[in-house]
Amino acid sequence: MSHTAHIPSHRKPRQRASKTALRAGVAGGVLSTIAVAGAAGPAQAEPVTQTIEMPTITAGLSTSVAASAQATQSVALDLETRATEDAAAATAAKTAKKAKAEAVRKAEAKKKAEAAAEAKAEEAAERASRSAERTTLSASSGSSGSSSASSSSSSSSSSATGSAASVIAFAQSQVGDAYVSGGTGPNSWDCSGLVQAAFGSVGIDLPRVSQSQSTAGTQVSLDNLQPGDILYWGGAGSAYHVGIYVGGGQFVGAQNSSTGVVQKSLDYDPPSGAVRVL
């Protein structure tokens, strides 16, 4: 190869001067434009005179929260009112039940007290009557009197008929039973309980106490007694003791706790009056 032969160069070829100058001019123009725009911008900007309010949801949210709170409060108030009403109803029911029980208890206590008072009055009257009866009768006269009274009683009782005979038979069948205050049978009686049961055996409903039984029928004279008449001791309407006239000058009655149910002569304890029911 000749020493003048062309050897390729490995160096980067140089850019043309015109192309380089063009690039430099373009770059300088862009920079100048940016600089001018930057300098002119702040000077030409107008100050902000109003604030644009963006729509918010706080007003609607607060209204919704308030409505929810009011609804919750209303429900709570309703529940409280209902609880108060239920409590009041329960208290009223309890009070009514207690008052009813107390009324029943008082009624029963009153009934027992009335029966006890009647029994005490009858017993006291019986003791007073016994203390006032004649003490001059001898044992022999008493025995003979009882014998004649018994025979007279048998004839008088046997002469009774119909309902009167049934009443007398019932009363005589209880002779020997015990006297118990408030007793209505079948093995213990007080005076009005025995009379009521005897007449009840023939379907006649008498009042329970002696005061009422002494006015339950037609008043009759003691001189005009008939078997089956109700005898009473004390005033009509305020009697403290009653018995049944069985004829022959005798009566059957539940006298007191010492004697029980007995059949005695009217002389043993003269009655105050009599009423006729049959």
Side-chain angles (χ1 to χ4, degrees), residues 224-266:
N224 191 31
L225 292 175
Q226 293 181 3
D229 288 346
I230 298 175
L231 305 175
Y232 63 83
W233 284 255
S238 60
Y240 56 83
H241 183 61
V242 288
I244 299 173
Y245 182 65
V246 297
Q250 294 204 345
F251 72 93
V252 172
Q255 294 302 100
N256 53 51
S257 56
S258 299
T259 62
V261 179
V262 296
Q263 179 170 328
K264 292 288 187 180
S265 168
L266 295 179

Side-chain angles (χ1 to χ4, degrees), residues 112 115-120 122-123 179-184 189-190 208:
K112 290 181 180 179
E118 180 191 359
K120 287 182 179 179
E122 291 174 353
E123 204 166 329
Y179 175 94
V180 175
S181 175
T184 56
W189 313 85
D190 62 12
R208 173 64 183 86

Side-chain angles (χ1 to χ4, degrees), residues 19-122:
K19 190 175 183 178
T20 302
L22 177 61
R23 290 180 176 175
V26 170
V30 170
L31 293 175
S32 298
T33 301
I34 293 174
V36 171
Q44 295 176 357
E46 294 182 0
V48 178
T49 59
Q50 65 179 21
T51 302
I52 299 176
E53 295 185 359
M54 298 297 291
T56 62
I57 61 170
T58 54
L61 181 60
S62 61
T63 302
S64 177
V65 170
S68 178
Q70 184 176 4
T72 302
Q73 184 177 7
S74 177
V75 171
L77 181 60
D78 289 344
L79 292 176
E80 183 179 358
T81 302
R82 185 176 301 177
T84 302
E85 291 175 350
D86 291 344
T91 301
K94 184 177 181 180
T95 302
K97 184 178 180 180
K98 184 177 180 181
K100 181 179 179 181
E102 181 66 14
V104 171
R105 185 191 67 79
K106 287 184 178 180
E108 291 178 352
K110 182 179 179 180
K111 184 177 179 181
K112 290 181 180 179
E114 289 176 350
E118 180 191 359
K120 287 182 179 179
E122 291 174 353

